[in-house]
Amino acid sequence: MPRVLLVEDEPAIADTLVYALETECFEVTHALTGADAVAAAEREIFDFAILDIGLPDMTGLDVCRRLREKSAIPVLFLTARDGEMDRILGLELGGDDYVTKPFSPREIVARVRAILRRSQAPLQAATPAIDSKILHHDSAAMRIHCHGAPLDLTAHEYKLLLVLLEKPGRVFTRDQLLDHAWQDPGAVTDRTIDAHVKSIRAKLRAVRAGAEDLIQTRRGLGYLLGI
Ligand code: CA
């Protein structure tokens, strides 16, 4: 049973969501405030988080930041406004998706299922082949280590590096990377991939000078992991 952390301060919305998720065999922990949600995440391990943006004590984005300090848990944001600001902030924080209120509980369940499928499928398929002395994937913690040091990656950076790590030496085009690491590739451009690769390289370099060269550029084609 996937365990879902739901943070929503409006009881009526929360009740509908809890009911819909439990009917579909999710185990749900519901928190009314951001502080309760953070406390729950410290006690238990969750597979998924649904975060309302507008909470009484902090924003859903703050909650996401706190959760991401510990794990790359998939996140779905609930937002009352179809505002570009919420969207940008959510995606920058590594939120996996967002839904604008009002929404149907069915839609939420379907999104959660889709995001979980995407976040789990490549891990299972890849587990045997992706360890190396230089880069190591800890699938349980959803973290990638470089020379033994955990990399502090956003969710998209993590997924992108994982795609490369699954098939070292294989060139991935930017479109392929978008398809694998973003659930809504239409919303981003080739430059998004380049920006994320740049950021991952910086994080690799911070661990050890030269490690950034692990991600190689094939001009006009795409990227590959050279290990
Ligand atoms: Ca709210």
Side-chain angles (χ1 to χ4, degrees):
M1 255 198 201
R3 298 168 62 86
V4 177
L5 174 62
L6 167 67
V7 195
E8 169 61 68
D9 61 313
E10 289 171 63
I13 294 177
D15 288 351
T16 322
L17 277 181
V18 169
Y19 178 78
L21 287 161
E22 287 183 347
T23 305
E24 294 292 320
C25 292
F26 290 93
E27 193 178 323
V28 186
T29 297
H30 171 221
L32 285 164
T33 65
D36 284 353
V38 171
E42 276 168 10
R43 285 193 309 268
E44 299 171 58
I45 294 171
F46 293 97
D47 301 301
F48 200 93
I50 301 176
L51 308 177
D52 182 26
I53 298 271
L55 295 166
D57 56 338
M58 58 175 92
T59 71
L61 302 167
D62 296 328
V63 177
C64 180
R65 257 182 223 113
R66 300 283 295 274
L67 298 181
R68 297 274 186 206
E69 285 170 7
K70 299 201 158 185
S71 74
I73 184 171
V75 169
L76 178 69
F77 287 111
L78 309 178
T79 168
R81 295 152 289 162
D82 192 9
E84 194 63 12
M85 201 57 194
D86 285 345
R87 175 183 161 76
I88 289 166
L89 282 174
L91 296 179
E92 272 182 2
L93 274 173
D96 291 283
D97 208 347
Y98 75 105
V99 174
T100 307
K101 294 176 185 177
F103 47 73
S104 80
R106 274 168 178 274
E107 183 189 357
I108 301 286
V109 172
R111 296 255 195 150
V112 171
R113 279 201 191 290
I115 295 167
L116 277 175
R117 227 178 7 249
R118 274 190 300 267
S119 62
Q120 286 168 354
L123 303 183
Q124 284 158 4
T127 304
I130 57 171
D131 283 359
S132 79
K133 287 174 190 165
I134 304 165
L135 288 179
H136 167 79
H137 178 222
D138 180 346
S139 57
M142 296 178 83
R143 271 192 178 271
I144 296 170
H145 298 248
C146 177
H147 292 289
L151 295 169
D152 183 21
L153 302 173
T154 67
H156 281 133
E157 290 167 0
Y158 165 77
K159 288 180 200 168
L160 203 158
L161 184 54
L162 192 56
V163 172
L164 295 173
L165 191 53
E166 283 169 7
K167 298 253 166 46
R170 179 184 150 174
V171 176
F172 286 88
T173 66
R174 289 172 178 80
D175 280 346
Q176 287 169 334
L177 291 171
L178 282 174
D179 283 347
H180 282 92
W182 270 258
Q183 73 275 3
D184 182 16
V188 288
T189 67
D190 287 0
R191 283 189 192 174
T192 309
I193 291 288
D194 295 341
H196 279 72
V197 166
K198 189 177 174 190
S199 172
I200 298 169
R201 279 178 171 152
K203 289 173 182 181
L204 289 167
R205 184 178 169 73
V207 171
R208 184 172 297 191
E212 71 274 18
D213 295 335
L214 287 168
I215 302 180
Q216 298 169 10
T217 307
R218 281 293 164 81
R219 200 168 290 276
L221 294 173
Y223 294 103
L224 75 154
L225 196 71
I227 55 176

